[in-house]
Amino acid sequence: MRRPGGWWRRKSTPAKVETYTRWSFHFFAVAEFMAVGLPSAGALPAGPGLWLPALTLVHCTLGGVTASRALDWTRGRRPRPVRLLWALAALTAAVAVAAALVAQRGPDHDSVDAAAGGVFGVVLAFGSGFIALGVRVRRRVFAVVAGFAVGAAVVAYPVGLSGVAVLATMAAVFVGGGFLAFTSVFSVWLLDAVFRLDEARDTRARLAVAEERLRFGRDLHDVMGRNLAVIALKSELAVQLARRGRPDAVDQMIEVQRIARESQREVRDVVRGYREADLGVELAGAQGVLTAAGIDCAVSGEPGGLPAEVQSALGWVVRESTTNVLRHGDPGRCSVALRRTAGSVVLTVENDGAGPVGAGGRPGPAASGGGSGLAGLRERLREVDGTLEARLVGAGTFRVVAEVPLNEAPGSRTPLDGKTRDGKPLDGRSPGEAPAGGTRRLGEGASGEASTVREVTS
């Protein structure tokens, strides 16, 4: 069963603004009838007391329909409602003339004059405001308002009003109609701005995805293009050596096998960087974002030398902690410190102005719930045997401490670079020692390969 307000929450932000704008103009139509339609029914005699409120009701209804169709036109969903605009203008003039006739020929009573005058002025003002929704050029909007004001003076003068009263009527219609017309123009401008911002955000997201794909493709090309060229060269050398019965062909194929494995490792590194958070980037981004938000942010510590999986886990801690600092409380200062101890690395994020916390000293539901909050961070840190502590440490001061051990866990996987924690290769060789068979490692220079080529072709 759907919740009563679910239809509103399912709308996007531009759709919410459009719905609010549309119903605001519908409310204007209702307000027009409640302001002058209903009061005139009780203040006017039996005859005019029926048909003048009825005309006002028809005018309000047509104004609401015209506003709705005009908003659809501004969004490009239907053609411009030209006939409705002209019909509303004609009906507005008709109701104004009818109200003037009631004031002139009706009973000589102040309540009748007040009711008819109210209908006269309000209908002209709301009519110009509704029609302004269907006009795109500002000069024409001004012309519509000025035309209704002049029309009010033309209709009011034969009634017998003095010159000052006619000018006052014209000024009142001009000011009221101008205000409602400005409201219409501003509402359309605001609605267009919201939709354009939403489109710009979608475009930026698509460009970011495209840029990331290009980066991934470029990195993959740089890794595989170079290594495949070396593999092709050494394979060709091995074939030539094998045809001449030279034992060096085995060494070349061993080198080809090593380069292939190294290529596999480098591809994994590219993919890992594609989907994991980088601690250095997150630290710089956190300082930039918090500083831009007016928060004094101090970042200390260098992430260089930490294992990739540790940097990724701590990078997510920095990202989520920065989000919580911006969303909860009113902070003025935030510090992010990264320090290394004897066997672990500790990341501390501390800020003042902390908001209310829940049970156990933890932030509210927005910070601790779901995979994107502190619970999700604990799950990420658990994968690298890390811990997370988040609590209030003073009046309005909140601290998040993440600690990850740097020692190799029992039963852990073999490192992808083929080395142990102390930097020695797994086959027992000392650093810099050539592999078995005397083959060179990739990146040691092209002199060895060139000499092999000269030896084969000689």
Side-chain angles (χ1 to χ4, degrees):
M1 184 176 180
R2 294 182 178 179
R3 296 181 179 179
W7 69 276
W8 177 260
R9 287 189 293 269
R10 287 190 296 270
K11 288 179 176 291
S12 62
T13 299
K16 290 179 180 179
V17 175
E18 181 182 359
T19 302
Y20 169 78
T21 304
R22 190 179 301 273
W23 282 101
S24 295
F25 283 99
H26 291 169
F27 173 77
F28 286 167
V30 176
E32 176 188 358
F33 182 75
M34 298 295 293
V36 295
L38 285 181
S40 63
L44 295 177
L50 293 177
W51 56 262
L52 189 58
L55 283 177
T56 306
L57 179 60
V58 173
H59 182 270
C60 298
T61 304
L62 184 60
V65 173
T66 303
S68 181
R69 297 293 178 87
L71 286 175
D72 289 338
W73 167 66
T74 59
R75 301 306 324 140
R77 301 191 186 113
R78 63 172 68 241
R80 185 179 180 182
V82 179
R83 294 182 179 180
L84 279 176
L85 293 174
W86 281 109
L88 180 60
L91 182 60
T92 302
V95 175
V97 170
L101 291 176
V102 170
Q104 182 183 16
R105 300 182 181 181
D108 189 9
H109 197 276
D110 292 340
S111 61
V112 175
D113 294 339
V119 172
F120 178 83
V122 171
V123 165
L124 288 174
F126 276 89
S128 60
F130 286 134
I131 293 175
L133 283 173
V135 180
R136 193 179 296 272
V137 183
R138 295 181 180 178
R139 294 179 181 177
R140 295 181 180 179
V141 174
F142 179 80
V144 169
V145 176
F148 274 96
V150 173
V154 172
V155 174
Y157 184 75
V159 175
L161 296 179
S162 63
V164 176
V166 171
L167 291 177
T169 301
M170 183 174 63
V173 172
F174 183 81
V175 172
F179 174 77
L180 292 174
F182 171 79
T183 302
S184 300
V185 173
F186 179 77
S187 298
V188 172
W189 174 83
L190 181 61
L191 188 60
D192 289 340
V194 171
F195 272 94
R196 288 179 182 177
L197 287 175
D198 187 68
E199 293 173 359
R201 184 181 62 182
D202 293 341
T203 302
R204 183 179 62 181
R206 289 194 297 268
L207 289 177
V209 172
E211 183 179 358
E212 189 65 14
R213 288 175 178 173
L214 289 175
R215 184 198 68 80
F216 181 73
R218 182 177 62 252
D219 294 347
L220 194 62
H221 174 270
D222 293 342
V223 170
M224 297 303 298
R226 177 197 61 188
N227 291 353
L228 288 177
V230 176
I231 289 174
L233 174 63
K234 288 188 172 292
S235 299
E236 182 180 357
L237 293 177
V239 170
Q240 295 182 18
L241 291 172
R243 286 176 178 174
R244 298 191 177 195
R246 300 283 294 276
D248 294 340
V250 177
D251 296 338
Q252 294 298 325
M253 291 309 299
I254 293 176
E255 185 71 6
V256 168
Q257 184 182 28
R258 185 193 65 78
I259 296 174
R261 290 176 177 174
E262 185 174 349
S263 300
Q264 185 181 19
R265 178 186 62 80
E266 291 180 350
V267 169
R268 289 173 179 170
D269 291 342
V270 171
V271 175
R272 182 189 302 116
Y274 185 70
R275 66 171 183 257
E276 290 186 354
D278 182 80
L279 181 56
V281 174
E282 295 299 333
L283 288 173
Q287 187 173 24
V289 169
L290 294 176
T291 302
I295 301 173
D296 185 14
C297 180
V299 177
S300 61
E302 288 293 334
L306 294 177
E309 61 274 10
V310 175
Q311 289 202 35
S312 177
L314 294 180
W316 282 104
V317 175
V318 174
R319 180 180 300 182
E320 181 65 25
S321 299
T322 303
T323 303
N324 288 339
V325 170
L326 294 173
R327 291 177 57 187
H328 304 292
D330 186 18
R333 176 191 58 83
C334 180
S335 63
V336 183
L338 182 69
R339 59 185 178 88
R340 305 187 191 189
T341 60
S344 64
V345 57
V346 180
L347 174 69
T348 304
V349 182
E350 183 176 303
N351 66 278
D352 60 358
V357 297
R362 295 174 296 180
S368 60
S372 60
L374 299 181
L377 294 180
R378 289 188 175 92
E379 294 178 0
R380 291 181 182 273
L381 291 172
R382 194 177 298 118
E383 296 178 358
V384 290
D385 297 332
T387 59
L388 182 72
E389 180 183 1
R391 61 186 178 88
L392 283 171
V393 294
T397 301
F398 193 79
R399 179 184 297 168
V400 176
V401 180
E403 183 175 1
V404 179
L406 295 179
N407 57 320
E408 187 70 28
S412 61
R413 295 181 299 175
T414 301
L416 293 176
D417 58 358
K419 297 181 180 180
T420 59
R421 287 286 183 181
D422 56 2
K424 294 184 179 181
L426 293 178
D427 55 6
R429 295 182 287 108
S430 59
E433 183 180 349
T439 57
R440 289 179 176 269
R441 296 182 62 86
L442 182 64
E444 292 180 350
S447 59
E449 297 173 2
S451 63
T452 307
V453 174
R454 288 195 298 269
E455 181 181 355
V456 172
T457 55
S458 59

